[in-house]
Structures are given as structure tokens and as C-alpha cells.
Amino acid sequence: MGIEDYGGGQGPEPDVLVVTTNDAPGFRVEQVIGEVFGLTVRSRHLGSQIGAGLKSMIGGELKGLTKTLVETRNQAMERLVEQARARGANGVLMFRFDVTEAAEVGTEVCAYGTAVVLVRE
């Protein structure tokens, strides 16, 4: 797996700017639209569960599970951006992830933040 398999985030010039901060330097908030979120639940496939079980006995990174979680987080973020865009936002402030177990059959990932209209200063 290359470095691109372990990360996510936006490209250099996104149409909806997503930041983890309360504000975006160089921009002012013109309008607060409200909370937006993107949610996905992924189950683990049998092969990765068996591999993870074996790997946990000897130690080390569970690469299959890492890749699945990265893909899941990226999908949740894409859904957040789609919802923000659909509501007329061009920014999301206070972006966060929440990850929980979903009924012991998968992982629930929720990306959330505050959709806003930003104006460049």
C-alpha cells in the first residue's frame, strides 16, 4: 500500500472548503447554514477479520482494516461535502469525525461540521 492508501482530504482548490477550525483565514463567514453530516456504515469482510485475528496474535498494523477505515472516512467526508453543497454552502467549519461500532457487525463513521457561506476577504 502506498501513502495515498492511508490518507484523504481535499484537493488544492475545493469548491467546498472543509476545515477543522472555527474560521478560515482569508475568509469571512457571510451566512451560517447549519449542521451537515455524512454517514456510512461498513462491515468487515471475513478475510480481513481472519487476517486481523491472526495479526493480533503476533502484533503489527492491520493493513486491511486500516485501508477499509480510510475508505470509509473518505466516503463519509464526500457525503458531508455533497450535503453542504446541496444546501448552498461553500465551506464547512469545525469539521470532525465520529467513529463507533455498529451492532458489532461494522463500523459507523460520521463526518460532521457547520455549513457556511464564505467570502474571500
Side-chain angles (χ1 to χ4, degrees), residues 54-115:
L54 294 173
K55 188 74 166 190
S56 69
M57 289 189 285
I58 58 172
E61 181 180 7
L62 307 174
K63 290 185 180 185
L65 292 178
T66 299
K67 188 172 182 180
T68 299
L69 185 55
V70 168
E71 291 169 354
T72 304
R73 287 173 64 121
N74 288 340
Q75 183 178 45
M77 185 172 178
E78 288 168 11
R79 290 178 177 175
L80 165 107
V81 169
E82 288 172 13
Q83 187 185 57
R85 188 182 296 120
R87 294 183 62 194
N90 67 349
V92 176
L93 304 178
M94 300 285 297
F95 171 72
R96 302 286 188 270
F97 281 112
D98 185 38
V99 180
T100 58
E101 288 295 312
E104 297 184 22
V105 296
T107 303
E108 172 191 330
V109 175
C110 182
Y112 63 95
T114 302

